[in-house]
Amino acid sequence: MKVIAYAVRPDEIASFEEYSKIYNHNVTLIKESFGPHNAHLAEGFYGVSILGNCKANKEGIEAIAKLGVKYLASRSAGVNNIDLETAKKYDIKVSNVPAYSPNAVSEFAVGITLCVLRNIQQAIRRVDVQNFGLSGLMGSELRNKTIGFIGTGRIGLATIKAFSGFSGKLIGYDLYENEEAKKYIEYKNLDELFAKSDIISLHCPLTPENYHLINKESIAKMKDGVIIVNTARGGLMNAEDLIGGLESGKIGGLATDVYENEVGIFHSDHRNSILEDDVLVRLLKFPNVLFTPHYAFYTDEAVDNMVEYSLESLSEFEKTGKSKNEVK
Ligand code: NAI
């Protein structure tokens, strides 16, 4: 199949070369993220490969539909950047890569949680300027904490298992209970989870129902000094409400790999520009906030899986009209 892959990073190229031969695709790689402004580049291609940082909104999908594109394969797990209704309307089949190594994200969630709990980011910054003092660096131990997991699917479960080694109390909330997770956690309703957790770790997809799940009202239900960890999606949190919570001390720490308006900022170098997003700029200033640029997924194992499985889906679509990773 003739495929155009957008948002291709240098570290994906070797995997594209390997798997396009295996799955018999002729793939054109481009660096720019997909959006309505460059959808025209898909002219003459049946398949389009994108990442979670691409803007496959109504206009973008309509544009590729007019060009005759039949398949849209995301190399990411989340599909909140894709207007699935418009894709359906134009009969464009969509796939994602839900099954790449969950450990990439779960191990990262443990890492950033510990960074905030033990003020590791502050310690590194200080040592960089030869400040070896201890003042303000005292942390606390995970074994005495209750950790609440929102979303106990593949990544949530892997994160629960990873945290289970620290002997803290683990609780969880999900729309559907996971039998395996029950070996490690007690399921609670959402309000109970908010009330009981010292640390809340988000592992659910972003949907219209849970948009801004972390907001002024839910923050008010949380324990004083709660630590919020987000390796899922930025839209799960109302960033302005987070600022309010951090200013009052209600939120004791935030570790996040994602931000609602990250597209156009994350995954590129802005050292020489002035960030226009005042909310992000404010959040970056808190000493107890740790931001990482949406790279929890970024391990050699996961990147290879993401390229392979997306090209496999395009091949399945071509041969059978279906894919095991089709998103409906
Ligand atoms: P999954 O589909 O295996 O699990 C998601 C779980 O969330 C399911 O059990 C589902 O029932 C639950 N859920 C859905 N809506 C919910 C709600 N409103 N409240 C509570 N639970 C809800 O997905 P997986 O693989 O565990 O991924 C989870 C999310 O992690 C992805 O959707 C994506 O947004 C994010 N992610 C982030 C990455 C990063 O680099 N930071 C990389 C990969 C995924």
Side-chain angles (χ1 to χ4, degrees):
M1 185 192 301
K2 274 193 82 184
V3 178
I4 181 165
Y6 287 85
V8 176
R9 296 182 312 267
D11 52 85
E12 293 180 300
I13 293 173
S15 303
F16 266 111
E17 283 169 359
E18 181 182 351
Y19 297 112
S20 55
K21 281 189 205 127
I22 293 174
Y23 293 106
N24 203 19
H25 297 307
N26 177 357
V27 189
T28 297
L29 308 180
I30 63 168
K31 208 170 90 193
E32 290 72 35
S33 287
F34 174 82
H37 65 290
N38 62 8
H40 62 274
L41 298 175
E43 183 160 16
F45 293 91
Y46 277 119
V48 170
S49 168
I50 60 167
L51 273 176
N53 62 4
C54 292
K55 216 173 183 179
N57 58 6
K58 185 168 182 286
E59 294 74 35
I61 304 238
E62 280 176 351
I64 56 171
K66 281 195 194 118
L67 300 172
V69 169
K70 299 272 175 263
Y71 312 111
L72 180 64
S74 177
R75 310 193 290 282
S76 300
V79 288
N80 55 290
N81 59 320
I82 304 175
D83 184 338
L84 294 172
E85 281 205 12
T86 305
K88 195 171 173 193
K89 181 172 160 200
Y90 291 99
D91 207 21
I92 292 182
K93 295 201 184 281
V94 177
S95 64
N96 67 341
V97 180
Y100 66 81
S101 167
N103 295 58
V105 181
S106 64
E107 291 172 15
F108 193 86
V110 174
I112 59 174
T113 303
L114 289 172
C115 280
V116 170
L117 202 60
R118 303 298 301 272
N119 300 305
I120 292 173
Q121 175 173 232
Q122 287 309 312
I124 292 169
R125 284 181 180 157
R126 287 178 185 202
V127 171
D128 266 351
V129 292
Q130 300 187 27
N131 174 353
F132 302 100
L134 291 185
S135 159
L137 289 185
M138 189 162 67
S140 58
E141 297 173 27
L142 267 179
R143 69 188 167 93
N144 293 320
K145 298 282 175 285
T146 297
I147 311 175
F149 299 88
I150 300 183
T152 58
R154 254 171 22 93
I155 293 172
L157 177 62
T159 313
I160 287 166
K161 286 181 181 171
F163 272 111
S164 69
F166 291 93
S167 317
K169 184 170 167 50
L170 309 183
I171 59 177
Y173 166 76
D174 196 304
L175 303 179
Y176 307 96
E177 297 191 355
N178 176 332
E179 285 309 312
E180 204 186 340
K182 282 186 188 168
K183 293 181 194 159
Y184 307 91
I185 60 165
E186 233 177 84
Y187 275 101
K188 303 280 180 197
N189 66 41
L190 199 49
D191 279 352
E192 271 182 285
L193 183 141
F194 287 144
K196 290 195 154 77
S197 303
D198 299 296
I199 297 167
I200 296 176
S201 193
L202 303 176
H203 301 286
C204 54
L206 175 64
T207 63
E209 292 71 39
N210 64 21
Y211 177 68
H212 284 182
L213 174 75
I214 306 297
N215 59 27
K216 211 182 275 178
E217 287 74 37
S218 57
I219 291 168
K221 294 175 187 167
M222 295 175 194
K223 272 187 157 177
D224 291 345
V226 63
I227 290 174
I228 297 171
V229 181
N230 190 355
T231 51
R233 283 293 178 268
L236 292 169
M237 311 184 294
N238 179 323
E240 293 191 29
D241 292 353
L242 288 175
I243 292 175
L246 285 157
E247 279 172 346
S248 70
K250 179 77 184 175
I251 299 176
L254 168 70
T256 185
D257 187 45
V258 286
Y259 176 62
E260 184 172 357
N261 300 318
E262 67 185 45
V263 174
I265 303 176
F266 284 16
H267 298 180
S268 47
D269 184 349
H270 290 268
R271 267 178 297 186
N272 292 326
S273 39
I274 293 166
L275 289 181
E276 285 171 11
D277 186 330
D278 290 343
V279 174
L280 176 62
V281 171
R282 178 81 185 103
L283 275 173
L284 290 170
K285 295 285 176 226
F286 287 95
N288 50 349
V289 170
L290 170 65
F291 255 97
T292 50
H294 201 146
Y295 83 111
F297 71 92
Y298 199 39
T299 63
D300 46 5
E301 293 91 340
V303 167
D304 192 61
N305 290 168
M306 291 161 92
V307 173
E308 177 180 4
Y309 300 160
S310 66
L311 293 180
E312 183 189 33
S313 294
L314 289 171
S315 174
E316 288 171 348
F317 278 140
E318 191 177 31
K319 286 187 190 140
T320 66
K322 291 183 197 152
S323 161
K324 57 180 170 304
N325 291 328
E326 183 168 354
V327 184
K328 296 201 174 152

